[in-house]
Amino acid sequence: MESQARQLVSLIENITYAFGMQSLDGQCCNENISHGEFRALQVALNQNLCTMQDIARSAAVTKSGATRIAKRLEDKGLANRQQDHKDGRICCVTPTEKGRTLLNRIDNQLMDRMGEILAAMDPAMRDILIISLNAFVRAVEQKEIGDGHERETCCAMGVNPFPDNG
Amino acid sequence: MESQARQLVSLIENITYAFGMQSLDGQCCNENISHGEFRALQVALNQNLCTMQDIARSAAVTKSGATRIAKRLEDKGLANRQQDHKDGRICCVTPTEKGRTLLNRIDNQLMDRMGEILAAMDPAMRDILIISLNAFVRAVEQKEIGDGHERETCCAMGVNPFPDNG
DNA sequence: CAGATTTAGTTGACAAAATCAACTAAATCT
DNA sequence: AGATTTAGTTGATTTTGTCAACTAAATCTG
């Protein structure tokens, strides 16, 4: 299992590389949207109430970072912000029609690319890939829940544990 | 297969998130090394002749970005740069002992984490995960070779196709 | 219910990391 | 030998994010 772990670390490095920023840049550079903005737009689309905290979590930034991302999305006409009616502290982010269209376009490009890759694989292999990768992601989530894995904890040994996320 | 592609895009998004920068930050923030520096150090270790172009490719930055990364690694005492003897234009980056040690430490932490995740999975599932993920990464590589996928091509429709990578 | 505390978000000052464009110098082509 | 290409560097700037201090709404507590 030691060697499996090693293999997996390297495989995931490769995947992260192939599908990370640089890949997204390929899809997005014409759209002029950063990875953080992309992720924020995604949660804004998928949740009917998307707070700054949600954006911070999803884009792995602090809450001030989330504010900045939301502002950029607003400036680009991709999302709107408005106060929540029930809790006045909360700022809801919702994608505009333009934002939805953009997200859709990027998504389709990613899907096309993935489709081509999958087409090169044996169908049976595809099936077990999906099954086992699902199991893996569940295991990751499980582990992070077990750890109480919030972003703040990562540098907890440092001087200033969580200055911006409290 | 359409739905498989969709699932896979989402699974990879999750993995990229879980093992991306924010994860590495967790491992590296005490070491004070960025993701780009980490990747650069990795190629420098894995190739016995690591050029700036290699770093640029691996960290997904322009060649000026690569210069800056190499300089930072040098400043931190993690790598050395020296002119190649055969081709005087080439600048070779090699990790120092300190760099090697650091890379090892980070690697071990990643391995530990991966080990814990894998431990939560069914052994048979682990096996097919490794097998199918290997097949997937091979398919990705295949496809990228087929596309002649170099970073410069990504924005080729823009005004200024590849200003810094020529 | 009033005052204290917590929670959600914003903002100014700043830092990190990358880009662009213009450059040097070595190698290669003609 | 001169022109071109290739590898890398550098100054000015941009992008993106952090930190710390702040506002304001909600909730707790006596």
Side-chain angles (χ1 to χ4, degrees):
Chain A
M1 210 190 70
E2 166 94 7
S3 95
Q4 286 191 327
R6 187 167 295 285
Q7 266 194 80
L8 205 44
V9 166
S10 146
L11 285 168
I12 286 179
E13 262 287 311
N14 282 323
I15 290 175
T16 302
Y17 175 62
F19 293 95
M21 293 158 297
Q22 53 278 46
S23 153
L24 197 73
D25 285 353
Q27 320 298 326
C28 299
C29 61
N30 305 311
E31 325 284 3
N32 204 39
I33 186 179
S34 74
H35 198 189
E37 288 158 18
F38 174 65
R39 290 203 63 105
L41 211 47
Q42 277 193 316
V43 283
L45 186 71
N46 294 333
Q47 296 179 11
N48 53 345
L49 196 157
C50 170
T51 68
M52 287 298 149
Q53 315 278 1
D54 293 331
I55 288 180
R57 205 173 309 116
S58 135
V61 295
T62 61
K63 60 180 180 173
S64 25
T67 298
R68 300 271 141 92
I69 288 177
K71 189 164 294 172
R72 279 179 342 242
L73 287 176
E74 211 169 24
D75 290 347
K76 292 174 185 174
L78 300 171
N80 291 318
R81 284 192 289 179
Q82 68 265 8
Q83 227 179 9
D84 187 57
H85 293 300
K86 302 214 168 176
D87 186 335
R89 294 168 301 180
I90 289 177
C91 177
C92 308
V93 177
T94 41
T96 60
E97 196 47 47
K98 185 178 170 191
R100 256 187 290 273
T101 308
L102 170 60
L103 216 43
N104 230 288
R105 185 162 55 239
I106 295 174
D107 227 56
N108 286 338
Q109 285 173 294
L110 286 173
M111 287 278 299
D112 284 355
R113 187 172 166 215
M114 191 59 79
E116 283 176 51
I117 293 167
L118 286 184
M121 289 177 71
D122 176 77
M125 193 63 97
R126 283 206 297 264
D127 294 342
I128 68 166
L129 173 67
I130 300 288
I131 292 168
S132 60
L133 212 52
N134 262 304
F136 175 70
V137 168
R138 273 197 302 275
V140 172
E141 283 163 358
Q142 209 88 82
K143 204 235 152 194
E144 289 188 347
I145 291 166
D147 288 0
H149 187 82
E150 290 302 317
R151 179 146 201 272
E152 296 89 302
T153 64
C154 105
C155 290
M157 54 230 317
V159 177
N160 200 350
F162 29 92
D164 202 2
N165 273 329
Chain B
M1 208 189 73
E2 166 95 6
S3 95
Q4 285 191 329
R6 188 166 295 284
Q7 267 194 80
L8 205 44
V9 165
S10 149
L11 284 169
I12 286 178
E13 262 287 311
N14 282 323
I15 290 175
T16 301
Y17 174 62
F19 294 95
M21 293 157 298
Q22 53 276 45
S23 153
L24 196 75
D25 285 353
Q27 320 297 330
C28 299
C29 61
N30 305 312
E31 324 283 5
N32 205 38
I33 187 180
S34 74
H35 197 188
E37 288 158 19
F38 175 64
R39 288 204 65 106
L41 211 46
Q42 277 192 317
V43 282
L45 186 71
N46 295 332
Q47 296 181 11
N48 55 346
L49 197 158
C50 171
T51 68
M52 287 299 150
Q53 315 277 2
D54 292 330
I55 288 180
R57 205 174 308 115
S58 135
V61 295
T62 61
K63 60 180 180 172
S64 24
T67 298
R68 302 268 142 95
I69 287 177
K71 189 163 293 171
R72 276 175 349 239
L73 287 176
E74 211 168 27
D75 291 347
K76 292 174 184 173
L78 299 171
N80 291 320
R81 285 191 289 179
Q82 70 265 6
Q83 226 180 11
D84 187 58
H85 293 299
K86 303 214 168 177
D87 187 333
R89 295 168 302 179
I90 290 178
C91 177
C92 308
V93 178
T94 41
T96 61
E97 197 47 47
K98 185 178 170 191
R100 255 187 289 274
T101 308
L102 170 61
L103 216 43
N104 232 287
R105 185 162 56 241
I106 295 174
D107 228 55
N108 286 339
Q109 286 173 295
L110 287 174
M111 286 277 298
D112 284 355
R113 188 173 165 215
M114 193 58 82
E116 284 177 49
I117 293 166
L118 286 184
M121 288 178 71
D122 177 77
M125 192 64 97
R126 283 205 296 264
D127 293 342
I128 66 167
L129 173 67
I130 301 288
I131 292 168
S132 60
L133 213 51
N134 262 305
F136 175 70
V137 168
R138 271 198 301 276
V140 172
E141 282 163 359
Q142 209 88 84
K143 205 234 150 194
E144 290 188 346
I145 292 165
D147 288 1
H149 187 81
E150 289 303 316
R151 179 148 200 272
E152 297 90 301
T153 62
C154 105
C155 290
M157 54 230 316
V159 178
N160 200 350
F162 28 93
D164 203 0
N165 273 329

